[in-house]
Amino acid sequence: MAETVGLALGVVSLAGLFSAFFDAAERIRQLKGVRGDVKETVEVVDIETKRLIWIRDKYNMNQLKAAEPMLEVMMNHINKEIEAIISVIDKYTSRSLSEAQDKPRSSAREWTNPKALVRQVAWITKDKTEVAGRLSTLHGWVDSLWNLATSESEQLARKYFLRAEIVSASDNENLQSLESLDLDLYRDISKAARVKRLLMHSQETSTVNTSAHANRKYSEWAAEREVGNPAHFVPFESMQWQRSDDQDSGTEGLWSIGKCRLSASGQLDVPILVEWRSAFTDGGQSRSATEARLDGLHDLLHAMYTAEGGGPDLVSRSEARREVEFGVLECLGWTSRTSVNRDRLGLVFRLPTQKQHLRPPKTLHAVIELARQQKRDVPPLGYRFDMAFGVASAVANILAVGWRHRAVRSENMLSFENQSSRLFLVGFTYSRSDDASHEFSNLPQRPDWEHYRPLKADAREAEGGDGSEGRDAEGSAATDMYGLGVVLVEIGLWRTARSLGKDAVQFRTSRMREFLGQLAPRCGSIYCDVVRKCLDGHHWGSETLKENLADLLADLKSCHA
């Protein structure tokens, strides 16, 4: 094989090697009637093609001249693997791909010839094993090529963009195929695909959509389920609330902590956090519809937590399993203070494993404010950079699947004593998809929330703003990004938004310019530019959202103390 590779190096240029791969991938992609094992192969080849296009484009811009000899070796190995994969697929087509390649095409219509259809035959074990091994080897070579040709921040940005593009462009059938990909190789895409598919399902069955189709979906769902037996209901009576200063933690606040027993799994004294909210505001919503919505929200949040059912000890989870980090705790289900009216609803989350007794988490807002009051030293800059990147990654991954948090603020970010710089997002009871027809409820109108929301246009003009601080749509991506920008200001200056400015309007206009001036010398120009982008709603329109989020994450990753 070494002799063959050496011969190829002297004959075929790197540009020709790229073209050879893309031609081979196109031959596979153009197959008709693809199902089962062949479809999974097509999905993987398509992913690797997108990765190689990025490298090819860098090469065409003369950015990889120094690495060209090694890139040629790698591309020869990659082409060897895809040709071997094609030779296996040939066995399951009514006309071989090799024959299709050798025969000149008179037009693009020739690819649709019924004789080129894939025969619907399950692969024999030997062929399936061989293709799986070659796809793994191909993936490894592309990984090596990426490591050689891109920086760490570039890799992070392109992986995010690739994942977001693939998932957002897929229908339900393709998402199911992406879910079944090898978790050791494509864990991030598989997890994102599952979240996206569950989100699409929740959109189809949302009662907020008043169309006859949507209402029929809910009627079908209600007819199929056992009345009074929602899938993920956790009885209120099974919970014991932690006492603080001889008082129950109660259920009137935003969240409570305690323990519960899970009858279905036989687990006792499970440490939990319950996030409370009032009943949904949709008029006339039936009890079964409310339960369906909460069951769907549980499924979505649980998929965001893990793709493969990881354990509750979040510290021990490997980086590979946390690659698509949505920043959520494990959702165990939902509860209601009363079983009849469903007037007070709560999402039930498992608290991370703690070696000592159950300790309540603190919000990021409380951590920063307590440090200020007790005049503690500001955490090291590297610690704050890690915290900022983790929060930004979680928000970016949520936006990438078409979900909107709608309440990104430091009081909806929890810190645990044994979780280092990691923060966990709460506040999901008001979240929704990015489709305005699926609005769940209006957000609470509280003064302490206003610091994290972009100003309305009339308020910006009254304060001399240029209109770039955000968009008015309460559920838009720009709103979440504005909230993220304010949180990054809090992390950078280690001051809460309210301590920086009590007047929410001035805080978001004249005072914000002052805070940005303070950020640059403390956190660097890159960090400061990231905050500016977050606050500028023009960056977060649908056409440029994924690309700009990828660039923002790359910039944050490049921040070093």
Side-chain angles (χ1 to χ4, degrees):
M1 179 60 203
E3 184 177 345
T4 304
V5 171
L7 179 62
L9 288 176
V11 176
V12 184
S13 68
L14 182 55
L17 292 172
F18 277 121
S19 296
F21 176 87
F22 296 137
D23 287 345
E26 183 68 7
R27 282 148 54 198
I28 296 175
R29 195 179 69 83
Q30 292 285 359
L31 285 169
K32 303 299 179 182
V34 172
R35 293 291 186 274
D37 296 323
V38 179
K39 184 172 180 59
E40 291 181 16
T41 302
V42 172
E43 295 284 4
V44 171
V45 170
D46 191 46
I47 292 171
E48 300 302 341
T49 299
K50 289 179 169 64
R51 297 175 74 198
L52 284 174
I53 287 174
W54 166 246
I55 303 299
R56 189 272 315 273
D57 290 346
K58 286 196 70 173
Y59 170 75
N60 288 343
M61 292 186 289
N62 295 318
Q63 297 180 13
L64 303 175
K65 284 296 182 182
E68 187 166 348
M70 186 58 69
L71 294 179
E72 289 178 341
V73 172
M74 293 179 177
M75 282 304 304
N76 268 287
H77 284 291
I78 290 170
N79 284 337
K80 170 196 168 187
E81 297 303 325
I82 197 167
E83 289 297 338
I85 292 168
I86 283 177
S87 68
V88 175
I89 296 178
D90 273 349
K91 302 177 184 179
Y92 301 91
T93 59
S94 56
R95 184 182 60 159
S96 74
L97 287 171
S98 301
E99 178 186 345
Q101 180 192 30
D102 295 337
K103 180 180 178 181
R105 286 182 290 162
S106 58
S107 70
R109 295 181 58 186
E110 185 169 331
W111 288 115
T112 64
N113 188 322
K115 294 182 179 180
L117 294 178
V118 177
R119 290 179 290 142
Q120 302 304 313
V121 180
W123 287 10
I124 62 175
T125 302
K126 177 178 178 295
D127 290 339
K128 190 169 184 175
T129 301
E130 179 183 353
V131 169
R134 291 194 177 278
L135 286 174
S136 178
T137 302
L138 187 152
H139 175 83
W141 278 113
V142 177
D143 261 356
S144 298
L145 194 151
W146 263 49
N147 292 333
L148 177 67
T150 62
S151 66
E152 182 183 9
S153 59
E154 281 182 321
Q155 288 182 40
L156 184 145
R158 300 322 301 176
K159 288 182 73 173
Y160 173 85
F161 182 74
L162 173 64
R163 181 172 66 244
E165 279 284 284
I166 289 174
V167 171
S168 64
S170 298
D171 57 20
N172 187 67
E173 183 180 354
N174 286 339
L175 288 172
Q176 288 181 317
S177 297
L178 292 172
E179 271 189 68
S180 65
L181 294 177
D182 188 336
L183 288 179
D184 290 332
L185 305 180
Y186 304 102
R187 186 179 304 276
D188 60 333
I189 294 175
S190 174
K191 180 176 179 179
R194 173 166 174 74
V195 172
K196 179 65 176 180
R197 189 171 63 82
L198 288 169
L199 175 60
M200 290 173 62
H201 176 71
S202 72
Q203 289 175 315
E204 291 175 356
T205 57
S206 173
T207 53
V208 184
N209 186 333
T210 57
S211 68
H213 174 72
N215 289 332
R216 184 168 62 254
K217 283 276 188 178
Y218 256 113
S219 299
E220 293 171 356
W221 181 91
E224 292 173 358
R225 65 187 299 214
E226 183 180 348
V227 177
N229 188 30
H232 302 295
F233 177 67
V234 181
F236 184 81
E237 297 76 15
S238 70
M239 302 175 188
Q240 180 180 1
W241 307 112
Q242 177 170 306
R243 293 178 177 271
S244 176
D245 298 327
D246 298 325
Q247 298 292 327
D248 287 335
S249 66
T251 62
E252 297 301 328
L254 293 177
W255 45 272
S256 311
I257 65 169
K259 296 181 179 181
C260 78
R261 60 182 181 276
L262 300 177
S263 301
S265 60
Q267 299 181 63
L268 302 176
D269 294 332
V270 178
I272 59 170
L273 178 145
V274 179
E275 182 187 343
W276 297 103
R277 61 156 293 157
S278 56
F280 295 125
T281 59
D282 308 349
Q285 179 168 283
S286 67
R287 171 173 167 171
S288 63
T290 295
E291 293 171 349
R293 177 181 294 183
L294 291 165
D295 278 344
L297 188 54
H298 160 272
D299 291 342
L300 184 65
L301 290 172
H302 192 270
M304 286 182 178
Y305 169 76
T306 179
E308 71 292 330
D313 187 355
L314 302 185
V315 177
S316 66
R317 290 165 65 193
S318 69
E319 286 302 316
R321 297 189 179 192
R322 289 169 44 189
E323 190 164 357
V324 186
E325 186 60 80
F326 290 92
V328 299
L329 297 167
E330 180 185 3
C331 187
L332 300 175
W334 59 272
T335 190
S336 175
R337 192 170 57 180
T338 61
S339 59
V340 178
N341 298 325
R342 304 290 191 220
D343 63 333
R344 186 73 169 160
L345 305 171
L347 291 172
V348 183
F349 297 93
R350 185 195 299 268
L351 287 174
T353 301
Q354 302 185 55
K355 295 181 180 179
Q356 301 177 0
H357 65 280
L358 183 63
R359 295 185 178 182
K362 292 184 175 64
T363 66
L364 174 61
H365 181 278
V367 170
I368 295 175
E369 186 61 22
L370 186 62
R372 185 179 72 89
Q373 293 174 359
Q374 297 180 353
K375 298 182 179 179
R376 297 178 184 173
D377 292 336
V378 174
L381 188 57
Y383 176 96
R384 284 178 284 146
F385 281 157
D386 288 344
M387 180 178 287
F389 178 76
V391 169
S393 296
V395 173
N397 284 324
I398 289 170
L399 295 178
V401 297
W403 195 248
R404 302 293 179 257
H405 186 280
R406 301 179 67 223
V408 177
R409 59 196 190 100
S410 57
E411 286 186 300
N412 277 334
M413 298 174 184
L414 300 183
S415 173
F416 295 86
E417 288 190 3
N418 64 340
Q419 297 294 321
S420 185
S421 62
R422 290 195 69 197
L423 296 173
F424 297 89
L425 298 182
V426 291
F428 283 97
T429 52
Y430 291 96
S431 62
R432 64 163 175 82
S433 78
D434 59 2
D435 186 339
S437 67
H438 296 84
E439 181 67 71
F440 281 3
S441 301
N442 293 325
L443 289 170
Q445 300 300 313
R446 298 174 183 162
D448 55 324
W449 287 51
E450 294 304 314
H451 288 74
Y452 304 90
R453 295 173 179 169
L455 281 169
K456 301 291 184 180
D458 54 352
R460 289 197 295 269
E461 294 171 2
E463 288 293 323
D466 61 4
S468 65
E469 290 86 347
R471 288 162 49 191
D472 291 339
E474 192 177 69
S476 70
T479 302
D480 278 1
M481 293 305 297
Y482 189 92
L484 174 62
V486 174
V487 171
L488 295 183
V489 170
E490 293 179 302
I491 292 174
L493 299 179
W494 208 243
R495 292 279 302 276
T496 63
R498 277 181 288 178
S499 72
L500 288 169
K502 293 183 179 180
D503 186 295
V505 174
Q506 290 184 357
F507 172 83
R508 290 171 287 180
T509 52
S510 58
R511 295 301 304 278
M512 183 58 74
R513 289 187 283 271
E514 175 187 333
F515 305 143
L516 291 173
Q518 297 173 15
L519 266 181
R522 298 188 188 188
C523 300
S525 60
I526 296 178
Y527 188 92
C528 190
D529 287 343
V530 166
V531 174
R532 291 181 190 276
K533 290 178 182 177
C534 290
L535 301 176
D536 185 349
H538 294 120
H539 289 285
W540 312 117
S542 58
E543 294 182 358
T544 59
L545 178 63
K546 293 184 285 290
E547 186 76 41
N548 287 340
L549 283 171
D551 292 341
L552 182 142
L553 292 178
D555 288 342
L556 271 181
K557 189 68 174 180
S558 67
C559 292
H560 298 287

